[in-house]
Amino acid sequence: MMRLCLILLSFTAVCVTAQNNDVEFSVFTVTSKTMTVQWSGRADAASYRVTATPTNSPGQPVFAQFSGSTMMGSVRSLSPNTLYTLQLEALDHALNVLSTAETQQTTAPDVPSIETAYSKTSDSITVEFTQVSGASSYILRAESTTGDFFTEISVSNSPGTVTQLQPYTDYQLSVMSVNSGGRSQPSYPTEARTIIMAPMMNTSSPTNTTIQVAWNPVDHAVFYTLCIIREGSSTRLKINTTNAQMTFDELEAGTTYCIKGTAWDPEGHTGDDLTVCQITRPQTPDVTLVRVTQGRSLSISVYWVPVQGATYYLASTSNGLNCSTDSNYCYIIPVECGQNHTVTLEAFNNAGPSSPSPPADYKTYPCPPDNIWLEEPTAGSCLVRWDPVDHVDYYITFIKNDDGSEETCNGTTTSCPFYCTCGYTYFTSVFPHNQAGSSLYSPIRNYTTIPCCPQNVTINLISTETLEVTWSPVKGAELYETNAVVQGEQRVVQCNDTAPVCALSDLQCNSAYSVKVIPCCEHRGCNHTCEPHLHQTAPCSPEILNMTQLSGSAYRVDYSAPNDHNTSYTVTATGRYDRHVCQSNGSSCDLTQLACGVTYEVTAVAIASVGWSLPAFTKVLETGPCCPASVNVTQVTQAMSNVTWQMAKGARSYVTALSSPRGSARCHTTDTHCVMGCITCGTNYSLSLEAFSSTGHMSQCSYHGFSSSPCCPTGIRFYPLVNSTLRVRWHSSGPRLHRHSVDLLGAGANYSCEAAVGATYCDVHHMACGDVYTVMVEPEGGHFCQPRTFSGTTGHTQDATHVCLFCGFLRVIWCIFVVRLCFLFGFLYIRL
């Protein structure tokens, strides 16, 4: 392990450690020709040998031998500024080497020598010395001869200065050279003394032609030299003195002088010198002008001629006011009005003030009146009055109207009359005058005459019970009172506002109100002479009392009519897709052409010349259902028909009726069809339909042009004729308006014939005999006649129903016979 330590005290200690085996070896201190080393001892070592060998330069090794109990020693006679390799050998009694250790170290440079030492200032000594090879810096050492002061400073080369010393004190000085290895031994000491300190002068200028200099006595000084010179001049005055003060007189005012002071020691050596500069006080200035100036406040302007050396000036009045500036004038603010005072001026610099100038007199303007007021003894005649002011020659009164016009009056009295009109504000001010001029300001008093009545009064009905009143603003009015009174009543509606607009609400409908606008001001009160204005409120709202149906699409609406006879009423029915209106001057109105099957909202409103009323409360009107667009009648039997129709708008149930001279039928249903009977055949009839809504409203619908089917013939008979011809004859129940057809349907052949209109028989030709036929005789358009049977051999006819009953009877007899027969055979089988 290697360790390097550098310690700067009165000598340089360098520690370099080398270790080998169990021995530690290091350099303790270095000088120019000596190295002191130290090591750790061995118990078996009898002696130690240290060898110093130059490393990079020629030279002989140097040896040193030490006893076994020694652990530090010096190697001498070395060369300065040389790198050496140091070797330590531990030896036994036979001088055998027990262990070794090595290290390297450079010796310090050579010792420099002091050539001279001297003191230029009282707190330092400068040393000049020789510079040596290999030195990187030098150390100057100063030590007082009494031993109570010691200091070292480092310098890079010669000369070097030791500072922070005491004046007039003896010191021993030496110098040492330094390199990386350490420092050399100190040079031979040289003794030197610091010079005496300079006197610490304080200067002042008691007058503008003198300067006083004073200082504390300097230790070891026997006398002092003072040298004074004026700034900008080369002339000097030098004075020697043993006193600690000096006065220079007959100097120029406001001029700077520099004074250098030096003390002498007993050996006749001068010490430090100190120079101070002092300006003399400025000369007394003269006030050239004092003037009272106008502005926001009364002030005094003071003017003068600048003097030499003054940095600023101070002007002071006899009543304690002042102003300061570096210019040749200043303003004293504020100044009292109506006063006589004086002003003096002083010039200042660093030395102090000059003597005050002679006082200059000045006089201020008069003060304004403390109290100004206005009176109006009679309407239109006003008077300005004020309290008297001292030292006033006359007054000027200014009276300005708020429209911009202005008038004045001059006089020595304390009042001024003028003409004034209503609704105007007057601003008055009074300025007193004297020989110095007018007062700078005056209190302004304003006076407002009683407000005039408003013009351009407009009354608008903004809602059924609210009147909005507007008017042109009135000069001087601070508040407007608006009153509304119903003629013949005591109730008053009132509003107060500062704006020229008022809303009178909560009024009675269909009423005439007398409206008056009254302007007011705080000081003059209200003008109650203004004319009223008459205005009508909106009509009252009607009330719907009843709604009566006049026809399928017309309804009459009855309502209350609470307004005068000049009021009309409008009734409006509003549906989902349409709107109907009617108007009337009475208490009812007819709504026409209303759509069927629709719900309307009906309301009414009153209309007068001033406006509309609020609408009446809405009532619901439901019109009757619509009639079906088409009705169909289909005959089911000769006496029964099926009636069908389309769904009608607004209808929930229907009553259908068939009417004819020979009978009628009626059906009530919620469906769109109905089966109806008891209608005689061959009859023309009409159809009526009543449609009912869910709330019971009914619409009557009529349809015409319907007829029942022709009646079937009766009394059908068959008559054989020659040539295999058969005549079929019948009776007609109704009018003979139809053509009849005859059809015979047999197993072998079919036969038919057709009778003329009104005929009651028909002949069938070439008919075969011996067969059974079904005969059908029907009028044209008839579909409900029953067939007949006919035997071609007998020539008789039978009703088909009778034939069917006989056949059924034969089947019953046959079944009884079979059952009895089965019963007989079963009984015989059991017996067997």
Side-chain angles (χ1 to χ4, degrees), residues 565-583:
H565 64 278
N566 293 324
T567 305
S568 64
Y569 300 89
T570 298
V571 178
T572 304
T574 304
R576 185 175 182 182
Y577 301 106
D578 58 346
R579 184 171 178 267
H580 299 269
V581 179
C582 68
Q583 292 182 340

Side-chain angles (χ1 to χ4, degrees), residues 101-125:
E102 286 187 359
T103 187
Q104 286 187 334
Q105 183 61 42
T106 302
T107 55
D110 203 354
V111 179
S113 60
I114 296 176
E115 295 179 342
T116 182
Y118 51 87
S119 175
K120 291 183 177 181
T121 63
S122 61
D123 64 345
S124 66
I125 295 176

Side-chain angles (χ1 to χ4, degrees), residues 28-51:
F28 182 67
T29 60
V30 175
T31 64
S32 300
K33 297 182 179 182
T34 304
M35 289 187 186
T36 300
V37 296
Q38 62 182 359
W39 58 88
S40 60
R42 288 176 58 109
D44 55 346
S47 61
Y48 299 94
R49 181 169 57 197
V50 178
T51 304

Side-chain angles (χ1 to χ4, degrees), residues 374-388:
L374 288 90
E375 298 175 354
E376 189 177 2
T378 60
S381 179
C382 295
L383 185 68
V384 183
R385 301 181 65 89
W386 61 89
D387 292 337

Side-chain angles (χ1 to χ4, degrees), residues 209-357:
T209 60
T210 60
I211 293 178
Q212 286 185 348
V213 184
W215 62 91
N216 292 327
V218 179
D219 291 340
H220 308 290
V222 294
F223 70 94
Y224 306 93
T225 299
L226 300 181
C227 181
I228 185 171
I229 183 172
R230 182 172 62 86
E231 188 179 43
S233 173
S234 59
T235 303
R236 290 177 171 82
L237 175 63
K238 185 180 292 187
I239 298 175
N240 293 330
T241 181
T242 58
N243 296 325
Q245 62 180 7
M246 175 63 67
T247 300
F248 297 94
D249 52 12
E250 298 182 357
L251 305 177
E252 295 182 13
T255 304
T256 299
Y257 291 87
C258 292
I259 303 167
K260 183 173 71 171
T262 305
W264 294 76
D265 62 16
E267 288 79 21
H269 299 139
T270 59
D272 287 339
D273 60 75
L274 177 66
T275 300
V276 294
C277 295
Q278 175 67 49
I279 189 172
T280 55
R281 295 192 181 195
Q283 67 182 17
T284 302
D286 291 328
V287 177
T288 59
L289 178 64
V290 179
R291 184 172 63 187
V292 179
T293 58
Q294 294 184 356
R296 292 186 177 180
S297 60
L298 186 63
S299 63
I300 299 299
S301 299
V302 184
Y303 295 86
W304 59 87
V305 176
V307 296
Q308 180 180 342
T311 56
Y312 70 97
Y313 301 87
L314 178 65
S316 303
T317 64
S318 56
N319 61 336
L321 302 177
N322 59 69
C323 64
S324 63
T325 181
D326 58 356
S327 182
N328 65 332
Y329 65 91
C330 71
Y331 302 99
I332 299 176
I333 303 173
V335 176
E336 295 180 359
C337 58
Q339 299 293 322
N340 286 328
H341 292 288
T342 60
V343 60
T344 57
L345 181 67
E346 293 176 287
F348 284 79
N349 61 16
N350 292 336
S354 67
S355 298
S357 68

